[in-house]
Amino acid sequence: MTRADVLAKAGYAARGVVYGLLGWLALGTRGKADEGQNAVFDMVQDMPGGGVVLTLLVIGLVAYGVYKLASAAVDLERHGQDAKGLAVRAGAGFGALAYLAMAWAAAKFALGYRHYASEGAHGGADMAGGVLGWPLGWVLVGLAGAAFLAAAVFQAIGAATGKFMKRMAPDAPRATEALGRAGLAARAVVFALVGWSLLRSAWLVRHAEVRDLGGVLAHLRGHETVYLAVAAGLLLFGLFSLICAKYRVVPAIDVVHATRRRFN
C-alpha cells in the first residue's frame, strides 16, 4: 500500500469523485457549491451506501496526500533541483496538506460528525487565522499564497500545451487531452484566486480575506460566464482525474523506502 503507483491511483480516483461532484453541484445547485468539498461529502453521505463511499474517499484522499508529500520530498516525478523543479515540488507539498485536510473533513462526515464538519465549511479562513497568530505567521501565509499562484501558472501552462499527456499511457482515451486542458484551465483560475486571497490576507494580516474552493465559487457567481466555465471545468477535471486513476504513468516505487534512502 506504500507503492507510489497504488497511492496515486487511489488518490486520482478520490480526487475525480470530489471534483466531478463539486462541478455537478456548482452547475445544478449553485448556493450549495459555496460549501466546497463539504457539499460533496454531505451529498455522498445521503446516498445509499454513502458511509462506505465516504470511507473509500477518506482512504483515497489520504493516499493522495501521502503520494504528494513523497513527490515533494524525494522527487518521485523527477522534476529536478532547478528553480522550476523546486517550485513544482513545493506546490506538491502544499497540495498534500490540502488533500489531507480534505480527507479529515470527509472523515468527520463518515464518522457522523456532519454538524461539526459543516461548521468548518470554509476552514481556510480559520486555518489562516491560526497561522497569522504565530510569530511571522504572515510570512507562512504569504508563502502559501505564492505557492498557489505558482501552481496556477503551471496549471495554465498545462492547459495551454497539453504537456501532461507525456505522463499518460499511450492507450489513454482520445478525450483525455481535451478533458485535461479544460480541467486544468478551471483549476488555474481557482488556484490563482485562492493564492491571491492568501497574499492579501498576509499583507493585511486579516484572515477573513482567505478564500477556499467554495469561497472562490461563491465569489465567481457574480460573473455568470466565468462561473459556468469554471464549474464545467471542475466537472471535466473530475472526469480527467478518473482517467488518470487508470492511465497515469506512475513509478512503482515504495515511498517509505525511497524517503528513508533520501534522508539517511
Side-chain angles (χ1 to χ4, degrees):
M1 185 60 185
T2 57
R3 264 179 34 184
D5 55 334
V6 175
L7 293 171
K9 289 179 183 298
Y12 283 126
R15 188 181 77 173
V17 171
V18 173
Y19 272 96
L21 291 178
L22 181 60
W24 178 265
L25 279 172
L27 290 171
T29 56
R30 301 187 183 189
K32 186 69 174 173
D34 292 357
E35 298 175 17
Q37 72 256 6
N38 279 9
V40 172
F41 302 146
D42 193 27
M43 181 176 72
V44 170
Q45 189 177 48
D46 289 336
M47 294 177 176
V52 175
V53 177
L54 277 172
T55 301
L56 293 175
L57 284 177
V58 171
I59 294 171
L61 291 169
V62 169
Y64 196 57
V66 172
Y67 169 71
K68 299 286 276 186
L69 279 176
S71 295
V74 300
D75 197 15
L76 290 176
E77 298 186 344
R78 299 182 180 179
H79 292 294
Q81 300 290 332
D82 60 5
K84 178 182 176 182
L86 291 175
V88 172
R89 291 168 63 185
F94 280 110
L97 298 179
Y99 281 105
L100 291 174
M102 193 181 293
W104 173 241
K108 286 191 283 188
F109 276 90
L111 293 171
Y113 298 117
R114 180 188 304 204
H115 173 70
Y116 298 104
S118 298
E119 285 181 346
H122 298 295
D126 293 335
M127 185 180 298
V131 175
L132 285 172
W134 300 350
L136 296 179
W138 65 272
V139 175
L140 295 177
V141 173
L143 288 174
F148 269 100
L149 288 177
V153 171
F154 287 120
Q155 301 277 309
I157 291 172
T161 64
K163 290 175 68 174
F164 57 86
M165 289 300 295
K166 293 179 180 179
R167 299 183 184 274
M168 301 297 291
D171 58 340
R174 284 186 185 179
T176 301
E177 184 172 354
L179 292 172
R181 283 175 179 257
L184 290 175
R187 286 236 301 177
V189 174
V190 171
F191 279 23
L193 291 174
V194 171
W196 177 244
S197 75
L198 286 165
L199 286 179
R200 280 179 55 83
S201 175
W203 179 256
L204 299 173
V205 196
R206 192 167 62 199
H207 69 273
E209 298 290 329
V210 176
R211 289 193 177 99
D212 56 10
L213 182 54
V216 167
L217 289 173
H219 172 71
L220 290 177
R221 274 196 289 129
H223 309 275
E224 182 78 8
T225 302
V226 178
Y227 176 87
L228 291 175
V230 169
L234 293 178
L235 173 58
L236 296 178
F237 184 75
L239 297 176
F240 170 69
S241 297
L242 293 175
I243 292 174
C244 287
K246 182 174 182 180
Y247 295 101
R248 181 74 150 74
V249 178
V250 180
I253 298 172
D254 188 294
V255 299
V256 175
H257 291 163
T259 303
R260 286 175 178 170
R261 286 199 304 269
R262 173 67 176 81
F263 294 103
N264 283 341

